[in-house]
Amino acid sequence: MTPQARALVTRGVYSKIRNPIYVFSALVLLGVLIALRQRYAFLLLAVVIPIQIFRAHQEAKVLEGRFGDDYRKYREGTWF
């Protein structure tokens, strides 16, 4: 799967967080790991989070290439 840039969405949750699916999937995973009460399972987070960060950076490159200054301005006002 490769990042694609069809439209720059800046409304709703995207007005605060650039990558809400990555943030909330990590939070869901954290919740599941807490519920399981298995300390070693937290190693999964140590693997998933860097992968999500890498994917977000790849997407940012595509969006910046497609939307230029509009994306850079949007990025300045949002988190991750």
Side-chain angles (χ1 to χ4, degrees), residues 4-65:
Q4 298 177 7
R6 295 187 185 127
L8 183 60
V9 179
T10 61
R11 294 180 299 175
V13 71
Y14 288 94
S15 69
K16 304 294 181 204
I17 304 172
R18 287 188 306 277
N19 300 288
I21 195 160
Y22 299 148
V23 171
F24 293 117
S25 66
L27 289 174
V28 167
L29 180 58
L30 176 62
V32 169
L33 296 177
I34 290 171
L36 292 175
R37 297 180 184 210
Q38 299 293 324
R39 289 183 187 216
Y40 67 87
F42 284 90
L43 293 174
L44 184 58
L45 269 181
V47 171
V48 169
I49 290 175
I51 291 171
Q52 299 293 51
I53 291 170
F54 174 77
R55 290 175 68 189
H57 285 292
Q58 295 301 104
E59 288 180 10
K61 289 177 187 177
V62 171
L63 290 167
E64 189 169 357

